[in-house]
Amino acid sequence: MVQKTFEGAEDERVKELFIRLVQHLHDFTREVRLTGEEWFKAVDFLERVGKTCTPTRQEYVLLSDILGVSVLVDLIHRPDGGSVTDSTLLGPFYVEGRPKAENGSDISGEVTGTPMFFNGRVLDSDGTPVAGARVDTWHSDGEGSYDVQMQDRLQGEPAMRALLTTDHDGRFWFRSVSPRYYPVPDDGPCGEILRAANRSPMRPEHLHFWLHAEGFEPLISMLVRGDDPYVERDAVFGVRRSLVVDFVRHPAGETAPDGTRVDEPFQTVERTFVLARKER
């Protein structure tokens, strides 16, 4: 009966989505013989998820992530394989209004940590450089915290995130601090799910990227440290083997990729991203 109420929808996709949603929700309710008390707890949980969301914390995104829905949607539309770089989760720590930065800039925001030098390149599937591509990047500090989690310490200023643009050869590069593995926020409703399931909240060390270029499909991706202890058990299922890379360690006194001498241990990361052209 409920499904029929959506048959008058003018948008065929809206009709399909709601009819199937009601079908599966009702099937689930019958299958587990959901009680009234359990349903009210579920509604209360969703209400608390909404109240936990802020401009710098997206608890609904985290809920989608820890239930594996975010990565499933991505896999359906961008399966593994092919010539272009694999995509993965956006994550809950992306924010708009990030600062623009010139190539070679230090985007750490003066956060202390092990220096990291990143060199990237953006190509099309034929190997042609993509000039003028906009590259969003963001990551945690050496203790596993993002700038939005350190608002007081940073006086609200952004750190470890920036928008760069590729040069004529499709290259972009920057300096920052090396990130670290960290737990997803577990002090809210999503943490209750993880604890109830006896699941780890940890994510492996990684760098986020969101690439845009005219004539190409946007790419949301991330690079994961290959020797991280949590690379095989990411709390949000976002690791793809093709995105696992080396964070190469260098001793103090060596010359960094930008030609400067670094008087402390540092790390380097390199990666080429391949974008898919939009279908006409």
Side-chain angles (χ1 to χ4, degrees), residues 85-230:
T85 299
D86 283 332
S87 61
T88 189
L89 306 178
L90 177 67
F93 294 115
Y94 171 77
V95 296
E96 297 181 354
R98 66 285 189 240
K100 294 181 179 179
E102 298 293 331
N103 283 314
S105 298
D106 184 347
I107 70 168
S108 67
E110 299 184 359
V111 171
T112 59
T114 301
M116 177 191 68
F117 296 83
F118 185 89
N119 278 283
R121 197 177 189 199
V122 182
L123 307 176
D124 67 12
S125 56
D126 295 325
T128 303
V130 179
R134 301 178 304 282
V135 183
D136 262 301
T137 186
W138 65 102
H139 63 84
S140 76
D141 69 1
E143 297 179 353
S145 296
Y146 286 79
D147 54 358
V148 294
Q149 298 173 300
M150 307 183 282
Q151 295 265 306
D152 291 341
R153 187 169 59 148
L154 296 174
Q155 287 81 50
E157 292 297 320
M160 301 164 295
R161 69 175 71 239
L163 175 65
L164 301 106
T165 303
T166 58
D167 66 9
H168 69 281
D169 201 28
R171 299 185 183 277
F172 68 98
W173 61 98
F174 61 88
R175 173 176 177 164
S176 190
V177 294
S178 296
R180 185 173 173 80
Y181 51 76
Y182 61 86
V184 297
D186 61 356
D187 59 340
C190 290
E192 296 172 19
I193 292 179
L194 296 175
R195 285 187 290 276
N198 197 27
R199 280 174 52 184
S200 168
M202 300 303 293
R203 296 215 65 199
E205 179 177 327
H206 58 276
L207 307 169
H208 286 282
F209 296 90
W210 192 349
L211 297 91
H212 297 264
E214 187 174 353
F216 293 87
E217 296 291 344
L219 173 66
I220 296 172
S221 195
M222 73 178 188
L223 302 179
V224 182
R225 178 189 284 277
D227 59 356
D228 188 279
Y230 299 101

Side-chain angles (χ1 to χ4, degrees), residues 63-78:
L63 178 61
S64 174
D65 290 350
I66 67 172
L67 293 180
V69 179
S70 301
V71 73
L72 177 59
V73 171
D74 187 60
L75 286 170
I76 289 171
H77 296 283
R78 298 194 66 156

